[in-house]
Amino acid sequence: MAKNKSVRTPQELWESMSSKSVHLVEGIFFHLGVLVARHPWKTVVLTLSFVILSCVGLLKFHIEKNPMNLWVPPESDFYYDTNWYIDKFGTGLRLQKVIITADNVLDPQVLLAIHNISTKIKSIEVKYEDKVYTIKDLCFKVPVVNFYSSSRDKRSLDSTSGDNNSTKSGNSDSDFSDPTLWVNDDFYCDFLESFQYTCLQNNILDMWKNDLAEITLATRKDILDKVNKVKTNPTTGHPVDYLQHFGGLSYNEHREVVAAKSVMLTWYTQVNMSTVDINEVGNLVGTEDWVSIPLALWENKYLEVLSSMSHNLSGLEVFYEAGRSFADISGQAMFDELDKLFLGIMLMFIYIQFALSRFNWLQIRLTLGSVGLLCVGLAYVSAVGWCSILGISFGPIHSSLPFLLMGLGIDDMFVMKACWDNLPESASQKSLPVKVGLMLKHAGVSIVITSFTDIVALLIGAITILPSLKSFCIYAAVGVFFIFCYSVTFYVAVFTLDIKRIQDNRNGILFCYQHKREIKIATEKTMFQNALAYFYKNVVFTIPGKTIVILFTTIITGFSIQAILHLEQRFDPKWFIPEDTYYKDFMNAQDYYYPDEGNMAMVFLGKMDYNKELIKLNGMMQELKKEVYINDVSAWVESFHQYVLQNFNRDLFKNESATSDSEFKSYLSRFLYSPIGGRYQVNFKFADHFLCGDPATEILASTMSFKFMKFRGPDEYIPAMNHVKDIVKSTNITSGDGYKSVWSKIFSSWVTDEIIAVEVERNIELALLCVMVCTIILITNLQMCLWIFVCVLLTIVNVLGCMQRWGMTVDIVCCIGLELATGLCVDYAAHVGHTFLTLKEGSSSDRAFKTVTSIGSAVLLGGGSTFLSLSLLSMSKAYTFQSFFKIFLLVILFGLFNGLVFLPVGLSLIGPGAYQTKKLKNTAEMVELNGKRDTLEKQLEDG
C-alpha cells in the first residue's frame, strides 16, 4: 500500500525551491570551473580575442564636451530655453574681469595703473588662420549714442538744435527727452552713420574718455567729483552707475563717496554660438562654454599678461579671471590626478602580492596578481568599447571609473583564493579541474551575488535624468559585468595555470626555471588569519563583545539618523576650484568686496503682437520689480513707454487701441536709434534688419534683464527661481507663439540642485529594494536576505550621517558616490551571509565563527583593496575625487563593520539554518572522466 504524501507547508515549499535554485547556480559554476580548468589556454585566447573585438567599438568612441548634454536634464526649461536663445539670437557673452585693490583706489596713481592695464589688454594680439585678432575684433559691440563726443559732429548738431542740448546730455533713467528729434529724420540718420559701434566695457577710465592726458592731470578731487556725479558714460552715452564698479566704499555725512577699497574692470567679448562646435573647443571636463578658437587663444594670452602684471604693481593687488578660467582650472584639477591612477595601480599590485603570496619561491603569485589587475583593465576597455558601440558618450566623471573598478574587481580574487584554501580534505585527492570546479562552485555563487547586486544598483542610478550620471552608471554597470565575466573565465584559467606551475615546481618569478629540489608549500594559516581568528574568538564572540557591538551599532545609527535630518542639499560650482589658483583668489576677492553681486537673468519673449501685449508685458516686469530678491531691472518696455510719452505725448499703456501697428513700429525704430534706446538694440531679434528712419520690422524675439540678489542656499534660490518663472509664464499673452520664460546661466546649477535631492532619495530607495529582490533570488533564504538588507541599510544611514558631520552636502558628485556605495556595501554582507548558509555543522555561533575565519579575511582584504585604490584620491585637489574618497572611505568602514562584525554577531544569536543537502548519484571524477555535461542532479555532494 502506497504511503500518503503529506502536504508540505509554504515554508517547506520555499526551502525546497531555494535549495534547488542554489544547487542549480552551484552546478553551473562547477561545470564552468571544470571546463575552464580543462582548457585554460583556449580560455585565455578566447578572452583576449573578445577584448580585441570589443576594441572595435573605440572607433565610435565619443567624449561629450557639451555641458548642456552633461549636466542639464534634457527635459528641463533651462535646456529648452538655452537652445531657444542660441537659435534666435545666437550671440553669447564671455566676461573678462580684473579686480584692483588698494588702501584707496580713488587715487591718481591707481588711475594710471588702470590705464596701463587697459592699454596692455588692448594691445594683446593673437593669430589664427593668417588673421590677427585683438580685443576690438572679439568684443561685444554696442552703438555709440553720445552725440557730443566729437567737436565736428557737435558743431553740426549745435547749429541745428540750438543751445538747449547742453541741458539734455547725459540722460538719466528719469529723463527720456530726445534732443535729436529736433532735427528731421534724414539729417539725423545721415549724421548717425558717422558714429561707429564701440566695445562694451565697464571701465572707470571712460569718465575721462580714456584720454591719457586728462587721466594724468586728474586729482583726487576730480576723481571723487566724477565718481559721485557722472551717471552717463561720456564715451558711449549710455546710462551707467559707476558706483557699482567699486567695493569697500566709504561715505561722508552727505552720502558722498570719499574712498573705495577696490574697483572692477570688465570687458565683454562676443561669441557666435550658432557657429561654434562645442565638441571641438570644449574641454574634457565638460565645463567649457561656447567659445570661438580666436577668442580662446586671446583669453589665454590675456591671462598670461595679467599674471605677469599682477606681480609688478607695487602697492596694488590685482585679481583676474577670463571666460575660460573656470573651465581651465576645473579641468586641470581633474586631470592632474591621473598620475595618481598609475601610482594606485603600483600600490595595488604590491598589496595583492602580499595578500596572495607566501614566503617561498613557488607561492609568489606574481602572475596571478598581475592578471587580477589585468582583468580590471580588460573590463574597462571592454566597457568603453561596448558602450561606444551602443552610442553612449564618455563624460568627465568617467575618469574615476578605473579607481572604482579596481576596488570592486580585486575582491573576487580574494574570495576565490579563500574558497581554494578552504576546500575540504576530501577534495585533495581529486584532479585539478575538479578542484577548480569545486572552488568556483562556492566562490561563483558569492561573486555572482555581489556582482549582480552592484550591476542592479548602478542600473537603478542610470534612470536619472542627469545625462552625465546616467552615462557613468551605465559604464560602471557594464564594467562590473565584464569584471565578473573575466574573473570566472580568464582569471580562473590563469589560476589553473599557476597551480600547475606550483605542481611542476616552477619558480614564481622566473617561470621557466624548474627547481631541482622540492620546495615545501606553506599550508598553515597566515599570521593575519590567526590574528583575525583570535580577535573574533576572544573579543567579538564573547558576551561582552556581542553586547558592545549591538550597543555601538544602535548608538551610531541613532547619531546618524539625527545628522541626516540636518543634511543639506547644496552645490556650489566654486567647489571645483582648488585653493591655490589665481581663479580662487579672484572669487574670494569678488565675494569679499562685492558681497551683494548676484546673478544676471533674462526674460525671454517669443513672437507676439508687441503693440497689443505691451501693457501685459509692463505689468509682468512690474511684478518682478516688487520681489525683494530682484534688482537692476532693465526693461525696454518701460523705457520705450517713457520715451514715447515724453517725446511724442502718447501713452502706450492707456491708449493701446489708438496706436496703430505702423505707428508702433515707427516709434520703436526711432527709440532704438536714439541716444535713449540705442542700448536696447541687443534685446531684439527682428524678421529683417531695418535702417535708421525706416519702421521696425516684425519682432521675432526679445529679452529683458534683471539681477538676482545673492542667496545663501537652495532653500532661498530654488523658490526664487520658480517664483519668477511663475510670474512670467502666468502672464496672459494671447498672441503669437506664446513663448515666455526666464533664463540665467546659474539656472543650470539650480535646476540640478532642485532635482538632486529627490533623485538621491528615490535612487537609494529603489536600489535598496532591488538589492533585496536580488538577494532573495540569488541567496533564496529569506532570513538571510533580511539580515543583508539590514546591513546595507545601516551602512547607507551611517554614511549619510557621517557625510553631514564631515561638512558634506547632497550634490551631483555625492549622488554618484552614493549610487556606487549602495552596490558596494552589499558585497561585504553578501559574502558572509552566503558562506554562513553553506556551513552545516555546529551551532549558529560555531557556524558564524567558521564563516568569519574562512571568508572574513578575503572580505577584509577586499575592503582593504578598495580603500587602497581610492586612498590616493585623498590627496587630490579636485572636489570630485575628494568627495569620492570621503564617501567610499565611509562605505568601506561601515560596510566592513556591519558585514564582518555586526552581521556575524547577529547570525551567532539568531542565524538561519544551512542550505539543504542534495544527494547526488555520481562523483565529480565521473563528470570529468566522461567529459560530458551531465545533468545537474548527477553532481558531487559538497565535501
Side-chain angles (χ1 to χ4, degrees), residues 381-410:
V381 172
S382 301
V384 173
W386 284 98
C387 287
S388 298
I389 291 174
L390 297 174
I392 303 170
S393 58
F394 193 89
I397 56 176
H398 296 52
S399 59
S400 62
L401 194 56
F403 293 100
L404 170 70
L405 295 181
M406 263 202 302
L408 293 176
I410 302 303

Coordinates of all heavy atoms in Angstrom, one line a residue, residues 381-410:
V381 N 38.4 48.4 -20.7 CA 38.4 48.6 -22.2 C 37.2 48.0 -22.8 O 36.6 48.6 -23.7 CB 39.7 47.9 -22.7 CG1 39.7 47.8 -24.2 CG2 41.0 48.6 -22.2
S382 N 36.7 46.9 -22.4 CA 35.5 46.2 -22.9 C 34.3 47.1 -22.7 O 33.4 47.3 -23.6 CB 35.3 44.9 -22.3 OG 36.4 44.0 -22.6
A383 N 34.2 47.7 -21.5 CA 33.1 48.5 -21.2 C 33.0 49.8 -22.1 O 32.0 50.1 -22.6 CB 33.1 48.9 -19.7
V384 N 34.2 50.4 -22.2 CA 34.3 51.6 -23.1 C 33.9 51.2 -24.5 O 33.2 51.9 -25.2 CB 35.7 52.2 -23.0 CG1 35.8 53.3 -24.0 CG2 35.9 52.7 -21.6
G385 N 34.4 50.0 -25.0 CA 34.2 49.6 -26.4 C 32.7 49.3 -26.6 O 32.1 49.9 -27.6
W386 N 32.1 48.6 -25.8 CA 30.7 48.2 -26.0 C 29.7 49.4 -25.7 O 28.7 49.5 -26.4 CB 30.3 47.0 -25.1 CG 30.9 45.7 -25.7 CD1 32.0 45.1 -25.4 CD2 30.4 45.0 -26.8 NE1 32.2 44.0 -26.2 CE2 31.2 43.9 -27.1 CE3 29.2 45.1 -27.7 CZ2 31.0 43.0 -28.1 CZ3 29.0 44.2 -28.7 CH2 29.9 43.1 -28.9
C387 N 30.0 50.2 -24.8 CA 29.2 51.4 -24.6 C 29.3 52.4 -25.7 O 28.3 53.0 -26.1 CB 29.6 52.1 -23.3 SG 29.1 51.2 -21.8
S388 N 30.5 52.4 -26.3 CA 30.7 53.2 -27.5 C 29.9 52.7 -28.7 O 29.3 53.5 -29.5 CB 32.2 53.3 -27.9 OG 32.9 53.9 -26.9
I389 N 29.8 51.4 -28.8 CA 29.0 50.7 -29.9 C 27.6 51.1 -29.7 O 26.8 51.4 -30.7 CB 29.2 49.2 -29.9 CG1 30.7 48.8 -30.3 CG2 28.2 48.5 -30.7 CD1 31.0 47.4 -30.2
L390 N 27.1 51.2 -28.4 CA 25.7 51.5 -28.1 C 25.4 53.0 -28.2 O 24.3 53.4 -28.0 CB 25.4 51.0 -26.7 CG 25.4 49.4 -26.6 CD1 25.2 49.1 -25.1 CD2 24.4 48.8 -27.5
G391 N 26.5 53.8 -28.5 CA 26.3 55.2 -28.7 C 26.2 56.0 -27.4 O 25.7 57.1 -27.4
I392 N 26.8 55.4 -26.3 CA 26.8 56.1 -25.0 C 28.1 56.9 -24.9 O 29.2 56.3 -25.0 CB 26.6 55.1 -23.9 CG1 25.4 54.2 -24.0 CG2 26.6 55.8 -22.5 CD1 25.3 53.1 -23.1
S393 N 28.0 58.2 -24.7 CA 29.2 59.0 -24.7 C 29.9 58.9 -23.4 O 29.4 58.5 -22.4 CB 28.8 60.5 -25.0 OG 27.9 60.9 -24.0
F394 N 31.2 59.3 -23.5 CA 32.1 59.3 -22.3 C 32.1 60.6 -21.7 O 32.3 61.6 -22.4 CB 33.5 58.8 -22.8 CG 34.5 58.5 -21.7 CD1 34.5 57.2 -21.3 CD2 35.3 59.4 -21.2 CE1 35.4 56.8 -20.3 CE2 36.2 59.1 -20.2 CZ 36.3 57.8 -19.7
G395 N 32.0 60.7 -20.4 CA 31.9 62.0 -19.7 C 33.1 62.3 -18.8 O 33.9 61.4 -18.6
P396 N 33.1 63.5 -18.2 CA 34.3 63.8 -17.4 C 34.4 63.0 -16.1 O 35.5 62.6 -15.7 CB 34.0 65.3 -17.1 CG 32.6 65.5 -17.3 CD 32.2 64.6 -18.4
I397 N 33.3 62.7 -15.5 CA 33.4 61.9 -14.2 C 33.8 60.5 -14.4 O 34.1 59.7 -13.5 CB 32.1 62.0 -13.4 CG1 30.9 61.5 -14.3 CG2 31.8 63.4 -12.9 CD1 29.6 61.4 -13.5
H398 N 33.8 60.0 -15.7 CA 34.2 58.7 -16.0 C 35.6 58.4 -15.8 O 36.1 57.3 -15.7 CB 33.9 58.4 -17.5 CG 32.4 58.4 -17.9 ND1 31.6 59.4 -17.6 CD2 31.6 57.5 -18.5 CE1 30.4 59.2 -18.0 NE2 30.4 58.0 -18.6
S399 N 36.4 59.5 -15.6 CA 37.8 59.4 -15.3 C 38.1 58.7 -13.9 O 39.1 58.1 -13.7 CB 38.5 60.7 -15.3 OG 37.9 61.6 -14.3
S400 N 37.1 58.7 -13.1 CA 37.2 58.0 -11.8 C 36.8 56.5 -11.9 O 37.0 55.8 -10.9 CB 36.3 58.6 -10.7 OG 34.9 58.6 -11.1
L401 N 36.3 56.1 -13.0 CA 35.9 54.7 -13.2 C 37.0 53.7 -13.0 O 36.7 52.6 -12.3 CB 35.3 54.5 -14.6 CG 34.5 53.2 -14.8 CD1 33.3 53.1 -13.8 CD2 33.9 53.2 -16.2
P402 N 38.2 53.9 -13.4 CA 39.3 52.9 -13.1 C 39.5 52.7 -11.6 O 39.7 51.5 -11.2 CB 40.5 53.5 -13.8 CG 40.0 54.3 -14.9 CD 38.7 54.9 -14.4
F403 N 39.4 53.7 -10.8 CA 39.6 53.6 -9.4 C 38.5 52.7 -8.8 O 38.7 51.8 -8.0 CB 39.5 55.0 -8.7 CG 40.7 55.9 -9.0 CD1 40.5 56.9 -10.0 CD2 41.9 55.7 -8.4 CE1 41.6 57.7 -10.2 CE2 42.9 56.6 -8.6 CZ 42.8 57.6 -9.6
L404 N 37.3 52.9 -9.3 CA 36.1 52.2 -8.8 C 36.2 50.7 -9.2 O 36.1 49.8 -8.3 CB 34.8 52.7 -9.3 CG 33.6 51.9 -9.1 CD1 33.2 51.9 -7.6 CD2 32.4 52.4 -10.0
L405 N 36.5 50.4 -10.5 CA 36.6 49.1 -10.9 C 37.8 48.3 -10.3 O 37.7 47.1 -10.0 CB 36.8 49.0 -12.4 CG 35.6 49.6 -13.2 CD1 35.8 49.5 -14.7 CD2 34.3 48.8 -12.9
M406 N 38.9 49.0 -10.0 CA 40.0 48.4 -9.3 C 39.5 47.9 -7.9 O 39.8 46.8 -7.5 CB 41.1 49.3 -9.1 CG 42.2 49.2 -10.2 SD 43.8 49.8 -9.6 CE 43.4 51.5 -9.3
G407 N 38.8 48.8 -7.2 CA 38.3 48.4 -5.9 C 37.3 47.2 -5.9 O 37.4 46.4 -5.0
L408 N 36.4 47.2 -6.9 CA 35.4 46.2 -7.0 C 36.0 44.9 -7.5 O 35.7 43.8 -7.1 CB 34.3 46.6 -7.9 CG 33.4 47.8 -7.3 CD1 32.4 48.1 -8.4 CD2 32.7 47.4 -6.0
G409 N 36.9 45.0 -8.5 CA 37.4 43.8 -9.2 C 38.3 42.9 -8.4 O 38.3 41.7 -8.6
I410 N 39.1 43.5 -7.6 CA 40.1 42.7 -6.8 C 39.4 41.8 -5.8 O 40.0 40.8 -5.4 CB 41.1 43.7 -6.2 CG1 41.8 44.5 -7.2 CG2 42.2 42.9 -5.4 CD1 42.5 43.8 -8.3

